[in-house]
Amino acid sequence: MAKLSFRQVEAFRAVMIAGTTTGAAEMLFISQPAVSRLLSDFEASVKVSLFERHKKRLLPTPEALILFEEVERSFVGVEQLARTAEELREFHRGTLRIACMPTMAQEFLPKVAHDFQQQNKGVSMTLQVRSSQQVADWIATQHFDIGLSAIKVSDPAIKVESLAQTQLVCILPPGHHLKDKSEIVPKDLEGELFVSLGTEQSIRYKVDEVFEQADVKRQMLFDTQVSHVACSYVLAGSGVSLVDAVTAINYADRGLIIKPFTPSIRFNYNIIYPATRSKSRLALEFSELLRSRLAELSNRSNGLLIIK
């Protein structure tokens, strides 16, 4: 394989993020022909077809998506090095790097992060949103200080603490015919358009099993990998769903109807740290604030978010 240059990799990453060579050129402050040349050299170096040309857009191949994940991991380390150097120059009080699964990152965690920075002036923070498995990978390699994940992790490089154990709730659009029921059971959703979480989500299989055991048929015409998209879709009047309670509660004031669901389907919120180094003072303080705000949310949830 021909030798890769950092500039080629940088151009590939920019095109993956921007979707076009023009957008990538703007990101890198170079000309569009220069990006095209770097991208062509990169493909020639790796000897793998990375893009399909469709009109004016570049559609990444599956191989490109796999390669992009590896590139992103490398850039996380480079960006953190630059950020650390900047903090040394500007005498910041410290930095806290958080990797979070999507379910808590949409509404809840940014508010906690804002309050934390108000209490800790001069502290810089990074929040990256990835799947639970990617969060675990980043914590294991010490790219981040704190991770929030929904999956069970068995890795000696990761220390796991339970943040909360709760149940999935049923969400309904405004005016739905089940709005007056105190709780929802599988039979209630017979024939309903059901918004599923994607097959890459382990909770999807638990949900499907509950309906299979109850011999209930749903209309399975839409799925998404993140629960806040499911909430928005249901809120628009399209179907019903089962999602984690933290995400659902943040949509209640917009008219989303939230109901307990039986039988209960557990959903875990875990907080994870690199096991091979001590937790920083900032990590400990943020974890305490996180637990406190989650408890406050539980108290305001009318029993929908029960922390065990």
Side-chain angles (χ1 to χ4, degrees):
M1 184 175 73
K3 185 177 180 180
L4 290 173
S5 72
F6 178 77
R7 200 58 169 163
Q8 290 171 7
V9 176
E10 194 175 35
F12 167 69
R13 178 177 184 260
V15 170
M16 289 293 290
I17 293 172
T20 63
T21 53
T22 301
E26 293 175 355
M27 288 177 60
L28 299 177
F29 301 102
I30 60 177
S31 68
Q32 185 270 335
V35 171
S36 296
R37 185 170 57 255
L38 287 167
L39 193 61
S40 178
D41 291 343
F42 182 70
E43 284 189 293
S45 296
V46 299
K47 293 183 172 59
V48 173
S49 178
L50 298 176
F51 294 97
E52 295 176 0
R53 275 69 178 176
H54 181 70
K55 295 183 179 179
K56 293 185 178 181
R57 294 194 66 83
L58 295 174
L59 301 180
T61 63
E63 291 81 4
L65 297 174
I66 294 171
L67 193 58
F68 180 59
E69 287 189 12
E70 294 300 320
V71 169
E72 279 293 85
R73 289 174 185 169
S74 299
F75 267 80
V76 166
V78 172
E79 290 172 355
Q80 180 55 37
L81 180 62
R83 192 175 297 112
T84 300
E86 181 183 354
E87 288 164 3
L88 291 173
R89 289 194 301 270
E90 298 184 4
F91 300 100
H92 283 174
R93 287 186 53 204
T95 185
L96 187 62
R97 300 160 299 175
I98 303 169
C100 181
M101 59 184 174
T103 53
M104 300 190 80
Q106 181 69 10
E107 299 273 352
F108 177 70
L109 196 62
K111 294 177 182 177
V112 177
H114 169 75
D115 292 344
F116 182 77
Q117 285 191 296
Q118 292 301 304
Q119 298 171 14
N120 294 271
K121 298 294 185 181
V123 170
S124 63
M125 297 184 70
T126 294
L127 173 60
Q128 286 282 350
V129 182
R130 290 293 189 275
S131 69
S132 287
Q133 185 57 60
Q134 288 175 305
V135 168
D137 290 343
W138 275 349
I139 293 297
T141 54
Q142 301 191 33
H143 281 121
F144 286 80
D145 305 303
I146 294 175
L148 296 171
S149 169
I151 63 174
K152 292 182 179 179
V153 179
S154 180
D155 187 329
I158 297 174
K159 181 178 181 180
V160 182
E161 294 179 3
S162 176
L163 185 61
Q165 291 181 343
T166 183
Q167 291 84 38
L168 297 188
V169 294
C170 182
I171 55 173
L172 310 169
H176 194 273
H177 67 90
L178 296 173
K179 67 181 186 302
D180 295 325
K181 290 206 66 176
S182 59
E183 69 175 18
I184 305 298
V185 297
K187 192 65 178 175
D188 294 328
L189 304 182
E190 178 82 48
E192 292 278 352
L193 174 60
F194 192 88
V195 181
S196 293
L197 297 180
T199 54
E200 68 274 14
Q201 296 262 26
S202 59
I203 198 70
R204 161 71 177 266
Y205 301 100
K206 296 180 182 179
V207 171
D208 288 349
E209 183 181 3
V210 164
F211 284 96
E212 287 169 7
Q213 290 180 348
D215 195 26
V216 170
K217 300 293 186 287
R218 300 159 290 162
Q219 294 187 57
M220 310 287 282
L221 301 177
F222 185 83
D223 66 66
T224 176
Q225 65 179 26
V226 287
S227 54
H228 67 82
V229 174
C231 289
S232 296
Y233 195 83
V234 171
L235 189 58
S238 300
V240 301
S241 188
L242 297 180
V243 300
D244 68 285
V246 170
T247 302
I249 290 169
N250 283 306
Y251 283 79
D253 59 356
R254 306 177 204 181
L256 190 70
I257 299 173
I258 309 171
K259 297 288 184 179
F261 182 80
T262 301
S264 66
I265 302 173
R266 279 195 169 188
F267 190 90
N268 297 319
Y269 303 99
N270 298 319
I271 186 165
I272 59 179
Y273 311 90
T276 55
R277 72 170 192 238
S278 299
K279 301 172 194 170
S280 69
R281 177 187 61 82
L282 292 177
L284 288 170
E285 289 183 6
F286 186 82
S287 298
E288 290 175 6
L289 181 62
L290 190 62
R291 292 180 188 279
S292 173
R293 293 302 159 82
L294 199 56
E296 292 173 6
L297 185 64
S298 175
N299 291 337
R300 301 195 305 269
S301 72
N302 296 321
L304 291 172
L305 175 60
I306 302 173
I307 298 176
K308 295 184 178 180

